[in-house]
Each structure stands twice: as C-alpha cells, then as structure tokens.
Amino acid sequence: MLKKKDEAPTLSLSAISCHAYNSDRTQVALSLNDAKILIYDVEGTDSAKWKLAHTLEAHDMTVLDINWGSKTNNIVSCSEDLTAYVWQFIDGKWKAELVVMDSKGCSYAGLRVKWSPAEKKFAIGTGSGRVFVCYFDSTNSWWVAKGGKAHTSSVTALDWMPGGDGCDLILATGSTDCRLNITSAYLKPVDGKVANPGKAGKSIGSISLKGWVHDIAFSADGNTLAAVSHDSSISWVDTSSTSYDKSQTLKLNLLPFNSVIFVSDDTCVAGGNDFYPVAFKKTDDKWELVGKWVATRSVEKKTSASKAMAMFQDQETFGGAQVKKAASTHHRSAITRLALIKYGSSFSFSSCGSDGAIYVFKAADMVPFDE
C-alpha cells in the first residue's frame, strides 16, 4: 500500500497507463509507465489493498498496452521497444513469446493491441500508421504478423467487431490522422475458407472526424462503434449495415476523453482529463449524456489560513486562466484507461489514472449529469 501526502492510499505512486482483467476478474495486469507488467490479485474494490502476484519482464522500454484474453488466458503486450509479446501461464510462471514483426518493416512502436473475440489472433496498431494482424504459425512455432498501411499517422485506437461462428473478420482503427478506418482482418490460415471481406488490410469503410482519435469501442452486439476525439467530442457510427453512413457526434463542454467502453448495448462510458467517468445512453436512436460518477467526501471546517492554502492546491493554471478542479472526483489526475468488469443493465467497470489509482464503478452509483 502506497500513500501520498494528505491523500487516500492508492495502488501506486506512479501513473497507471493501462490495465486489463482476466476472465473472472480475480486478477488485473497493468503498466506503471515502465518496462514491467504487474499482475495483482483483485480482492474487493479498494485497489490500494490488492496484492502483487506476478511481475512480467521481457520488454526493454515502456509498455504501452496490455490485453488479457478471457478464453485462452494469454496476455499480449506491446512496447516502445518496437516489440510485442504473448505471455502464457505455464507451470505457475508467465512465459513470453516474441511476436515477429520487424520483417514487415515495423520501425515504430506498437501503441495499441487487442485479441480478437475468438482469440486465435490479435491486432497491433503502430506509430507508423501500420496495422498488423498476428497469429501463431504452428509450423514454425512463432507468432507472425500480416497487414499493411492503414493510416497516414499513428494508430492510437483499435477494436474488433464481434463476429459470429468464431470468425473475427472485421477490425476498426482510429488514428491521429482524424479518421476511423474499418478494414478486413481475414487470415486464411486462421479463419479457413469462409465468406470474407478480403485479405487483411483491405478497406471496408472510412469515417472522418474533427480531431485525433483517442479511443474506440464496439458494442457487444457489433451494431455501434463509438469514438472519442481530441476535440472533446464523442461519435457513434451505425455498423449494423456496411454503408457506415449513419452517425452522431456530440461536442461537449468538457476536456477530451482518453478512453471509451460499452457497458451495455445502449450505454457507453467515457473518461479522461476531467478526472471522472461519464455515461451516454441511446434513446430513440439518439445518444445523450445522462450521468457521471463522483465521490462523496466529508467537509471539514478550515481556518482562514487552511482555506487559502486549499485554494492554491485546488487550482491549476491552464491557458492563462485558473481552473478549479472539482473536489468530488475519485481520481486526482486524468483517467488514462477504462476496463469492463460486468456488461448489461447492472454493469460495472474500472478506471486507471495518472494518479496511480484504480477505481471500480457500478451502474447503481451513477448520478445525473449536471454541468
């Protein structure tokens, strides 16, 4: 347990850049903005009390993304060192297998990585704009990458469209080129002879946004793709048809979101630089901002001197103006990533942040949004 001065204990004193759960949510893997992957045993909702179970070391530089497969129990990670690893739990230890990417001209780091729904392959988005679909070549006993150029700038977000019959054929990516691309992820050695949208990397659709894409997510039914952008907007694209021409964008009076997830087919949650997560709900084909999660804090009486000190502690200079941060947020710094715990009407999820904390939120604790 680590404790900051005059603040509640948090999991770490370092920023948590990403986190991912195992299938039953009893363990979480995370990165503290360094080359290690830490796995904690999850007991209760107070992350400061979680116990470190494993330390995974293979990367030479900062780990940028982690994804934990719920079916295979394998972890995949990517790093600033231009490598990706698949981690398998064998005989009580995590063993790393290198993903062969450099033969495909991968001279930039992998920024985002995610297993496909069937977990027979995974996708990596890189700083060069290239997207790789990777699979295990049993003949040579290594992980290989297929793919090509998908964007003109860094790929900062990706997600798989949920597929039927175990086929994971469509991949969505977002980039700092302000575009959402939907491409084929079909690989014959993995998917076999099935109806497919073309070889891996073939473009199926493209949507232009007004800002850099920070994150994207599909709903579990595959009918909606959500995207959060640097211009403080969130967009939804109807992916139930192949035209991808029906969409909605909300421009908000909030700071940009860093992460977005669906918690039910008609509800998604976003979080970022305002320190607290917010909820959006679809009603009559229209998405609206409906709620948020805040902390309930006791108010203590202060002397005039302590009030003056608190005023300076709660303010920060931004663009020449003083902005007072809300005292009711759980996080004390930006939310970096959200992770789903339970999907449906009684959903729950967690957030990690630059303050070194992970907080768990439930549907029942949401309050109406009031700017």
Side-chain angles (χ1 to χ4, degrees):
M1 179 188 300
L2 298 173
K3 188 174 182 179
K4 301 177 184 179
K5 185 178 180 180
D6 300 326
E7 292 187 10
T10 58
L11 183 72
S12 170
L13 290 178
S14 300
I16 303 174
S17 57
C18 56
H19 69 300
Y21 291 97
N22 65 349
S23 60
D24 59 6
R25 274 48 179 178
T26 58
Q27 290 187 317
V28 63
L30 55 87
S31 168
L32 298 180
N33 266 345
D34 59 19
K36 298 178 183 179
I37 298 172
L38 305 181
I39 297 179
Y40 284 83
D41 290 328
V42 176
E43 297 180 3
T45 59
D46 185 356
S47 64
K49 297 180 180 179
W50 296 352
K51 304 298 183 182
L52 181 64
H54 303 277
T55 299
L56 282 53
E57 298 183 80
H59 290 290
D60 295 324
M61 299 178 69
T62 302
V63 174
L64 298 176
D65 201 12
I66 303 167
N67 192 237
W68 199 330
S70 61
K71 295 180 175 68
T72 62
N73 197 42
N74 292 341
I75 295 172
V76 62
S77 60
C78 58
S79 165
E80 287 181 354
D81 61 11
L82 313 186
T83 66
Y85 284 95
V86 173
W87 304 81
Q88 294 182 307
F89 194 62
I90 302 173
D91 297 330
K93 295 182 180 180
W94 287 95
K95 298 183 179 180
E97 294 180 333
L98 180 66
V99 180
V100 179
M101 294 173 58
D102 52 3
S103 62
K104 297 295 179 180
C106 183
S107 57
Y108 288 77
L111 305 179
R112 298 299 295 266
V113 63
K114 189 167 187 178
W115 288 105
S116 67
E119 297 178 22
K120 295 180 180 179
K121 54 190 177 182
F122 58 89
I124 298 177
T126 70
S128 67
R130 296 170 68 90
V131 177
F132 297 98
V133 180
C134 309
Y135 71 99
F136 186 74
D137 182 352
S138 57
T139 302
N140 297 299
S141 296
W142 60 24
W143 292 87
V144 296
K146 301 285 186 180
K149 194 80 169 180
H151 293 272
T152 59
S153 189
S154 298
V155 180
T156 51
L158 57 81
D159 198 13
W160 293 83
M161 177 181 284
D165 301 323
C167 295
D168 314 310
L169 303 178
I170 297 177
L171 179 70
T173 55
S175 168
T176 51
D177 63 7
C178 306
R179 298 197 69 82
L180 290 176
N181 285 348
I182 299 174
T183 60
S184 171
Y186 170 72
L187 293 177
K188 187 176 180 180
V190 180
D191 301 310
K193 296 181 179 180
V194 297
N196 62 81
K199 67 178 182 179
K202 179 183 176 181
S203 178
I204 301 173
S206 185
I207 300 98
S208 179
L209 300 178
K210 299 295 184 181
W212 305 335
V213 181
H214 287 179
D215 198 17
I216 63 175
F218 274 107
S219 57
D221 60 11
N223 291 332
T224 308
L225 175 66
V228 290
S229 304
H230 194 66
D231 63 343
S232 297
S233 71
I234 180 169
S235 302
W236 296 269
V237 179
D238 183 357
T239 52
S240 60
S241 66
T242 56
S243 60
Y244 308 120
D245 57 357
K246 186 179 180 181
S247 62
Q248 178 189 346
T249 297
L250 285 179
K251 185 72 165 63
L252 302 165
N253 187 27
L254 296 171
L255 295 177
F257 298 122
N258 294 324
S259 185
V260 62
I261 59 172
F262 275 87
V263 291
S264 69
D265 289 343
D266 62 357
T267 306
C268 70
V269 173
N273 295 287
D274 280 302
F275 304 177
Y276 58 90
V278 299
F280 300 86
K281 189 173 181 62
K282 185 179 182 180
T283 306
D284 298 328
D285 283 337
K286 183 179 180 181
W287 288 91
E288 296 179 324
L289 177 59
V290 295
K292 62 182 178 181
W293 285 264
V294 294
T296 302
R297 302 185 186 279
S298 59
V299 179
E300 60 182 60
K301 293 182 179 180
K302 297 181 178 181
T303 64
S304 58
S306 64
K307 287 180 181 178
M309 179 63 72
M311 179 184 69
F312 287 103
Q313 289 176 337
D314 289 344
Q315 289 181 344
E316 63 182 39
T317 301
F318 181 78
Q322 286 188 327
V323 181
K324 188 173 182 179
K325 292 297 180 184
S328 58
T329 61
H330 291 270
H331 284 285
R332 292 305 192 185
S333 189
I335 293 173
T336 53
R337 199 73 58 87
L338 302 174
L340 180 68
I341 296 177
K342 182 181 178 181
Y343 198 86
S345 58
S346 58
F347 63 81
S348 59
F349 65 95
S350 64
S351 62
C352 64
S354 299
D355 56 0
I358 294 179
Y359 291 103
V360 176
F361 300 96
K362 299 179 180 180
D365 298 327
M366 183 181 73
V367 298
F369 189 89
D370 182 9
E371 292 189 63

